[in-house]
Amino acid sequence: VIPQFMTGWPTMLAGADWAGGWTGLLLLPTIIGGCAILAVGGLAARLVGPRWAPLAALLTAAAWPVMRASQETLSEPVALLTLAAGACLLVDWVRLRHVAVLRGRLQRHAFAAGLLLAAGELVRLDFGVDFAFVLPILGWLWLSRRPGVLPFLGGALIGAVLAVWDCV
């Protein structure tokens, strides 16, 4: 038996049940799934251009697993939202220039990207595999002495500590 589900998603579902009863409990996965589709569209806009974002969002929304998981209380929509939103922040951080005015914004983006990508472990135990894909990018940014690597690591460390604490 391998544990897969962490307390992040059940806690969110419990809050939705407390706030809205059965309606809130059954509506939350759909809302989270919609936000995940928007995050995928935002990531596509950042990577390949804004005119491709609607197509990426449409293809993601029309995919049977995404559509089906957004109708049930599965953790996949939250994992997709966490991964896509963290990737959006990561792309924004990498694209920001070395302007002194943007230094605070750059560090906030880097910290939030690290925190969101590592805190995905609070939703799914196997989210660490998804975070492993970020490590080569992080290594490249570290070697190129890109500002914001330390805030990213700080955010990732905080997210990882929260996840390990949740595992324990």
Side-chain angles (χ1 to χ4, degrees), residues 108-124:
R108 283 192 303 269
H109 268 79
F111 180 80
L115 182 65
L116 196 56
L117 286 171
E121 195 74 23
L122 291 169
V123 177
R124 294 180 60 85

Side-chain angles (χ1 to χ4, degrees), residues 80-92:
L80 178 61
L81 175 62
T82 307
L83 185 62
C88 284
L89 287 169
L90 183 65
V91 169
D92 287 346

Side-chain angles (χ1 to χ4, degrees), residues 47-139:
L47 293 176
V48 293
R51 67 182 190 177
W52 293 101
L55 181 62
L58 178 67
L59 290 175
T60 304
W64 179 252
V66 173
M67 190 177 358
R68 190 72 185 138
S70 294
Q71 296 172 348
E72 299 179 10
T73 56
L74 300 173
S75 63
E76 278 78 8
V78 181
L80 178 61
L81 175 62
T82 307
L83 185 62
C88 284
L89 287 169
L90 183 65
V91 169
D92 287 346
W93 164 44
V94 169
R95 287 190 174 174
L96 285 175
R97 300 291 175 219
H98 300 283
V99 180
V101 176
L102 298 176
R103 188 154 242 8
R105 186 172 164 197
L106 184 137
Q107 291 181 349
R108 283 192 303 269
H109 268 79
F111 180 80
L115 182 65
L116 196 56
L117 286 171
E121 195 74 23
L122 291 169
V123 177
R124 294 180 60 85
L125 189 60
D126 58 353
F127 202 80
V129 174
D130 298 333
F131 186 78
F133 290 116
V134 177
L135 294 178
I137 298 167
L138 184 61

